[in-house]
Amino acid sequence: MKSRYTLVFLVLLSFYACKKEEQSALGSQGYELLVPSSLGAIDFPSDNEFTPARWALGKRLFYDSQLSADGMVSCASCHKPEKAFADDLAFSPGSEGAAGLRNVPSLANVAYLPYFTREGGVPTLEMHVLVPIQESNEFNSNIVAIAEALSQDPSYVQMSQAAYGQNPNPFVITRALANFQRSILSGNSAYDRFLMGDESALTESALAGMDLFFGDELKCGQCHNGQDLSTHGFENNGLYTVYPDSGKFRLSHESADIGKFKIPSLRNLGYTAPYMHDGSLTSLEEVINHYATGGSNHPNKSDLISGFEISQLEQQQVIDFLLALNDTSFIENPDLQP
Ligand code: HEC
Ligand code: HEC
C-alpha cells in the first residue's frame, strides 16, 4: 500500500517538475552531460534535446534485454561498455543465438557521425534504433510490441512521461536510446592530451609512430584523420579480391561501391579487436601487415593502398601511436555502466 502511494506521488512530482523545469525531473538521478574539451559540440535534434530524464530512460533501455524477442539480448550484449561499446567476437549472436553478419563497431562518439552502419545507409541515430530492434539477427522484435510491453511497467511509464510527456511508444523509445547514445563520449586519450598541449602525453615511440602514420610512406592519415581519425568517407582498403559482403554496393547497387566500407574511428583499438567489417584481422600487427603488403587486388581498391616497407621497430611505433588512442577513463566512466 505504502509503495503504491509513493509511486503515485513520484509520478505526480516528476510530471509537475517536468512541466516546470525538465532538468530537475529526475531529482537525485540528474546527470550532467560533460563533453570532453577535445571534442566538438554535440548537435541534438530539436525534438530530442538532451535532458537527464531522457538520458536515464535511454540508458535503462540500452541495458534492458526485454527488448529482444527471446528476452536475453540487450544493446549492451553486443556493444559492451568494457569493450568500448564494441565486442571481442568477429560476429556477435543476436536473439536465439542468430549469427551476426558484421563485426560490432564501437559506439564511442556516435554523436558526431554523419550516417550509420558500415555502408552509411541510415541518416540519424533516432532512425538507426529501428535497425537492431527489427533485424532478425539482432533483437528480431517489433517496436510496437516493445512499446506495449513497456506500457505495462509503471516505472517505465513514469520515466517516459518525465522524459517526453508521453507513455512509452516508438517515438519515445527511438528518441531516448539516441539521447543516451550521444553521451557515449571518448575524448580523454593520451593522444587527446597531446593535441591539447601536453607534450609529455605521448612516449618517444608513439611520437615516432605518429609521424609514420601521417607520413607520405604509410599514408594512413589520408583516410584516418580528424577527431576520431576518420574522414567518415567510404573506401575499399583491399581486404579481398572477391567480397562476400559487398559493403556500400548493397545500398547503391553501383559496381564502383563494391567492397567500400565506412572508414572507422581508430579510438580505443586496444579494446575493440578483432578489426574490419568482418573481424577478419585479429591484431594490430595483422592490420599493419595487411597495409604493408598493399592488400588484395580489386578494381575499387584505393590508390592510397599500395604497400610499403616497414621495420619491426617502426611497426611497434605505429602500434604504440594507435594504442595512445585508448581512453581508460571512458571505459571506466561510471555514468555509462549499467
Ligand atoms: C546482435 C548484436 C547487436 C545488438 C544486440 C545491437 N547491435 Fe548495434 N550493431 C551491431 C552490428 C553488427 C553493427 C554494424 C552493422 C552494419 O554496419 O551494418 C551495429 C551498428 C550499430 C550502430 C551504428 C554505428 C556506426 O558506426 O555506424 C549503432 C548506433 C548501434 N549499432 C546501436 C545499437 C543499439 C542502440 C542497440 C540496441 C537497441 C544495438 N545497437 C543492438 C550489433 C548489434
Ligand atoms: C584508403 C583509405 C585508407 C587508408 C590509406 C588506410 N585505411 Fe585503415 N581503414 C580504411 C577502411 C575503409 C577501413 C574499414 C574496412 C572494413 O570495415 O572492412 C579501415 C580500417 C582500419 C582499421 C580497423 C579499425 C576497426 O575498428 O575495425 C585499422 C586499425 C586501420 N584501418 C589502420 C590503418 C593504418 C595503420 C593505416 C596506414 C598503414 C591505414 N589504416 C590506412 C581505410 C583506410
Side-chain angles (χ1 to χ4, degrees):
M1 201 62 179
K2 186 169 165 243
S3 66
R4 186 174 291 171
Y5 279 122
T6 316
L7 181 69
V8 170
F9 178 70
L10 275 177
V11 171
L12 287 175
L13 182 74
S14 63
F15 187 64
Y16 182 68
C18 167
K19 289 261 136 116
K20 251 176 69 184
E21 191 195 308
E22 249 157 348
Q23 292 287 324
S24 61
L26 269 187
S28 60
Q29 286 181 55
Y31 163 77
E32 192 188 351
L33 180 64
L34 296 171
V35 180
S37 44
S38 57
L39 303 178
I42 299 176
D43 218 358
F44 281 88
S46 57
D47 67 355
N48 200 15
E49 293 292 350
F50 179 84
T51 72
R54 292 170 177 181
W55 176 87
L57 175 61
K59 179 175 168 179
R60 183 171 174 196
L61 289 166
F62 190 86
Y63 285 105
D64 190 345
S65 53
Q66 258 189 80
L67 273 58
S68 62
D70 70 355
M72 304 289 280
V73 181
S74 72
C75 306
S77 305
C78 297
H79 300 283
K80 299 190 170 97
E82 70 276 18
K83 300 282 170 207
F85 292 85
D87 201 0
D88 53 7
L89 303 170
F91 303 109
S92 307
S95 184
E96 272 143 34
L101 301 174
R102 284 182 176 168
N103 184 244
V104 179
S106 166
L107 298 184
N109 302 345
V110 283
Y112 305 95
L113 286 180
Y115 25 63
F116 301 89
T117 77
R118 292 177 185 275
E119 63 268 86
V122 185
T124 68
L125 262 183
E126 278 77 4
M127 284 172 76
H128 182 271
V129 168
L130 292 170
V131 178
I133 286 181
Q134 242 104 316
E135 280 286 324
S136 62
N137 55 359
E138 295 184 36
F139 285 176
N140 192 22
S141 189
N142 166 322
I143 194 155
V144 178
I146 293 173
E148 276 170 18
L150 298 182
S151 301
Q152 308 303 309
D153 180 334
S155 66
Y156 260 124
V157 172
Q158 186 264 327
M159 289 179 83
S160 178
Q161 286 288 347
Y164 296 96
Q166 303 177 32
N167 279 350
N169 61 32
F171 176 91
V172 167
I173 295 167
T174 53
R175 296 307 179 284
L177 274 164
N179 210 275
F180 169 67
Q181 289 179 84
R182 289 194 180 92
S183 78
I184 304 179
L185 297 170
S186 174
N188 218 350
S189 66
Y191 183 53
D192 292 298
R193 292 198 298 278
F194 172 79
L195 289 182
M196 298 211 307
D198 176 357
E199 291 191 5
S200 67
L202 293 187
T203 62
E204 289 287 312
S205 177
L207 283 170
M210 179 175 79
D211 286 344
L212 288 164
F213 184 91
F214 289 110
D216 293 338
E217 255 311 279
L218 272 61
K219 304 188 191 73
C220 316
Q222 302 215 23
C223 293
H224 297 285
N225 61 56
Q227 178 171 290
D228 293 326
L229 292 191
S230 165
T231 61
H232 307 310
F234 299 90
E235 292 289 352
N236 177 315
N237 69 345
L239 285 177
Y240 301 112
T241 44
V242 177
Y243 276 80
D245 179 337
S246 57
K248 196 165 193 293
F249 173 84
R250 296 208 325 193
L251 189 68
S252 69
H253 297 286
E254 285 178 28
S255 58
D257 284 337
I258 295 175
K260 287 193 181 168
F261 292 89
K262 189 167 70 184
I263 300 172
S265 160
L266 299 186
R267 286 187 179 273
N268 298 302
L269 291 171
Y271 302 96
T272 64
Y275 306 110
M276 306 298 167
H277 70 276
D278 55 358
S280 55
L281 301 183
T282 57
S283 67
L284 292 174
E285 284 82 356
E286 278 183 34
V287 170
I288 293 172
N289 280 338
H290 159 73
Y291 286 115
T293 61
S296 305
N297 275 327
H298 189 283
N300 296 337
K301 187 178 76 169
S302 164
D303 293 341
L304 295 170
I305 314 285
S306 53
F308 47 80
E309 301 253 316
I310 189 164
S311 69
Q312 279 300 111
L313 176 69
E314 290 169 326
Q315 190 190 69
Q316 192 52 51
Q317 291 168 337
V318 175
I319 291 174
D320 286 344
F321 168 64
L322 292 174
L323 294 179
L325 277 117
N326 284 350
D327 179 354
T328 43
S329 69
F330 164 64
I331 304 293
E332 289 161 7
N333 182 351
D335 291 325
L336 298 178
Q337 309 301 321

